């Protein structure tokens, strides 16, 4: 790779990830209609390499690091392992105006920096001793068990949906909660669903309503996967029935399944819901249903999030662990166990199995 001039390096430092390392034709080629279309296609694929939320986080990571460098009188480019090691130490130490970050946040910030450097044509070696030893020391000194969100169990979800009215918004929100719970879905997966395959460019999957249940085809973190959601024992808590009711009264047969509604609540709009709606819905119905009423409202809100639905299914489903693993799309049983807030931990007794 040819070396960059100081002016080019300075420009790279100020560029956002959408502009840094822009895909262009090699200098020795002359542009043409075909090649220009391929460049546009390559840029589109590059932009789709990470989710919108991930790109926003990476952009923020770079902005914060670049600002820190300016304050210290340093340049963010080219990458300096020594400066990055100092930056990590600063994040872990904190200050009166900036509290220390958790180990997981620091590790994610470092990943964001590595991605940003790659987009700007530089390589960041995380194994460099200035980075690796500092990070190892931070993990050894500050690492703590992960703080897990509370699981929403079967009685909880029934109480939550019972707080919802039977108007159009209520039908939609009931379908969101029941589908998210029964499917063990991430909130982004819930709102990304379309009524049919290839309905919209930003689709994250689609749903098929069958006699015995619903089949979801999802473009998830680990690739395409299918999630089977069977019909429940009661229409009041059946996720498939809830979806059918919402789609019928909202008159949705194409495009995003979960959309906003008009101000009077009588008409479904075409705009796809944001995944933050799922988080707000969970917190609101947790409060309305009186779940964990023994705690102050602030603590109750902090306990529950979108992941509470996935954790609830993993904890409440009385089936073999491997079925839960497949349903959630986990690559390992260890990841599934992280979601199980209650389980028979000593079902397999290795002590007795070893003869003691």
């Amino acid at each position: 790779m040819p070396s960059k001039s100081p002016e080019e390096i300075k420009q790279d430092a100020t560029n956002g990830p959408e502009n840094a390392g822009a895909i262009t034709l090699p200098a020795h080629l002359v542009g043409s209609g075909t090649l220009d279309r391929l460049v546009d296609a390559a840029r589109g694929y590059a932009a789709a390499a990470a989710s919108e939320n991930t790109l926003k986080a990476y952009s923020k990571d770079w902005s914060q690091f670049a600002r820190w460098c300016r304050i210290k009188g340093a340049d963010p480019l080219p990458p300096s392992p020594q400066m990055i090691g100092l930056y990590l130490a600063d994040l872990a130490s904190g200050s009166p105006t900036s509290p220390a970050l958790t180990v997981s946040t620091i590790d994610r910030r470092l990943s964001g920096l590595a991605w940003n450097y790659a987009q700007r044509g530089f390589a960041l070696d995380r194994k460099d001793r200035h980075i690796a030893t500092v990070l190892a020391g931070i993990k050894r000194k500050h690492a703590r068990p992960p703080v897990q969100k509370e699981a929403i169990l079967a009685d909880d979800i029934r109480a939550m949906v019972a707080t919802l009215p039977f108007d159009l918004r209520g039908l939609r929100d009931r379908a969101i909660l029941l589908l998210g719970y029964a499917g063990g879905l991430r909130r982004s997966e819930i709102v990304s669903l379309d009524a049919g395959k290839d309905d919209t460019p930003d689709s994250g999957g689609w749903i098929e309503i069958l006699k015995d249940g619903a089949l979801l085809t999802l473009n998830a973190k680990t690739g395409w996967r299918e999630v089977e959601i069977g019909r429940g024992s009661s229409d009041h808590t059946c996720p498939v029935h809830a979806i059918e009711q919402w789609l019928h009264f909202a008159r949705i047969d194409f495009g995003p399944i979960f959309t906003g509604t008009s101000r009077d609540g009588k008409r479904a709009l075409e705009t796809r819901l944001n995944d933050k709606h799922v988080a707000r819905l969970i917190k609101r119905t947790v409060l309305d249903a009186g779940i964990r009423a023994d705690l102050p409202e602030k603590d109750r809100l902090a306990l529950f999030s979108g992941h509470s639905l996935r954790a609830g299914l993993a904890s409440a489903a009385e089936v073999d662990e491997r079925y839960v693993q497949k349903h959630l799309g986990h690559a390992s049983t260890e990841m599934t166990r992280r979601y199980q807030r209650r389980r028979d931990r000593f079902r397999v007794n290795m002590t007795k199995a070893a003869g003691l």
Side-chain angles (χ1 to χ4, degrees):
M1 177 183 296
S3 60
K4 295 188 177 184
S5 67
E7 292 75 14
E8 289 175 319
I9 290 178
K10 184 177 180 180
Q11 184 61 42
D12 280 341
T14 57
N15 276 340
E18 68 280 0
N19 297 320
I23 295 174
T24 59
L25 282 175
H28 65 278
L29 287 182
V30 178
S32 67
T34 301
L35 288 176
D36 290 343
R37 285 194 295 272
L38 288 176
V39 169
D40 290 339
R43 287 172 178 167
Y45 286 128
S51 70
E52 182 180 352
N53 288 338
T54 299
L55 291 176
K56 287 181 180 178
Y58 286 166
S59 179
K60 188 175 181 180
D61 291 340
W62 183 257
S63 298
Q64 291 170 333
F65 175 63
R67 180 177 180 274
W68 181 87
C69 286
R70 288 194 298 271
I71 293 173
K72 305 302 180 186
D75 291 323
L77 293 176
S80 166
Q82 294 92 330
M83 287 303 297
I84 292 176
L86 294 177
Y87 177 62
L88 299 181
D90 197 9
L91 295 179
S93 302
S95 67
T97 58
S98 180
L101 300 183
T102 64
V103 172
S104 60
T105 301
I106 293 173
D107 202 36
R108 192 200 60 73
R109 287 267 188 103
L110 183 57
S111 297
L113 292 184
W115 185 90
N116 273 283
Y117 276 121
Q119 305 314 302
R120 291 164 170 81
F122 296 94
L124 177 63
D125 183 10
R126 294 184 54 151
K127 295 182 180 180
D128 183 282
R129 63 185 181 88
H130 296 285
I131 298 175
T133 53
V134 170
L135 186 60
I138 291 173
K139 290 181 177 181
R140 183 176 179 85
K141 187 173 182 179
H142 298 295
R144 298 288 185 274
V147 178
Q148 295 181 318
K149 295 297 182 180
E150 188 102 344
I152 293 174
L153 303 177
D155 289 342
D156 299 329
I157 199 71
R158 281 194 286 265
M160 289 164 65
V161 298
T163 67
L164 297 171
F166 284 91
D167 59 8
L168 198 58
R169 289 195 188 103
L171 292 176
R172 179 198 63 193
D173 290 345
R174 184 175 284 101
I176 287 174
L177 289 177
L178 291 174
L179 185 72
Y181 184 79
L185 305 178
R186 301 175 180 89
R187 65 187 194 185
S188 59
E189 292 173 339
I190 298 172
V191 299
S192 71
L193 285 169
D194 278 1
K197 182 180 179 181
D198 300 327
D199 278 0
T200 63
D202 62 339
S203 170
W206 64 92
I207 186 170
E208 297 175 74
I209 305 295
L210 307 173
K211 178 183 178 181
D212 296 324
L215 178 64
L216 276 57
T217 304
L218 299 170
N219 187 7
K221 285 185 175 181
T222 55
W224 287 98
R225 66 187 180 97
E226 290 184 344
V227 176
E228 298 175 4
I229 299 181
R231 294 186 181 272
S233 55
S234 168
D235 282 349
H236 294 294
T237 56
C238 173
V240 183
H241 179 74
I243 282 289
E244 290 175 324
Q245 290 287 292
W246 159 246
L247 293 178
H248 173 73
F249 288 102
R251 299 180 180 179
I252 293 175
D253 56 10
F254 181 86
I257 284 183
F258 295 115
T259 67
T261 59
S262 58
R263 291 195 174 187
D264 59 10
K266 295 181 179 180
R267 179 171 54 87
L269 305 177
E270 296 181 357
T271 307
R272 187 188 304 275
L273 282 180
N274 188 287
D275 65 341
K276 292 180 181 178
H277 174 82
V278 181
R280 291 192 294 264
L281 173 62
I282 291 171
K283 292 179 182 295
R284 187 183 80 238
T285 51
V286 160
L287 291 180
D288 292 345
I291 297 171
R292 293 304 307 268
D294 56 307
L295 298 175
E297 180 176 309
K298 181 180 178 181
D299 294 340
R300 293 164 67 193
L301 290 174
L303 274 178
F304 296 92
S305 73
H307 262 61
S308 296
L309 296 178
R310 282 169 68 78
L313 178 80
S315 303
E318 300 291 340
V319 295
D320 191 287
E321 196 173 68
R322 58 184 171 172
Y323 294 115
V324 179
Q325 177 187 344
K326 180 179 182 296
H327 198 74
L328 295 180
H330 288 154
S332 67
T333 55
E334 182 59 35
M335 178 58 72
T336 302
R337 288 168 185 165
R338 293 183 191 178
Y339 282 79
Q340 293 174 324
R341 305 297 188 259
R342 63 177 192 186
R343 60 186 175 91
D344 186 359
R345 294 183 177 275
F346 300 101
R347 181 177 56 183
V348 178
N349 190 322
M350 295 302 292
T351 306
K352 292 182 179 179
L356 298 180

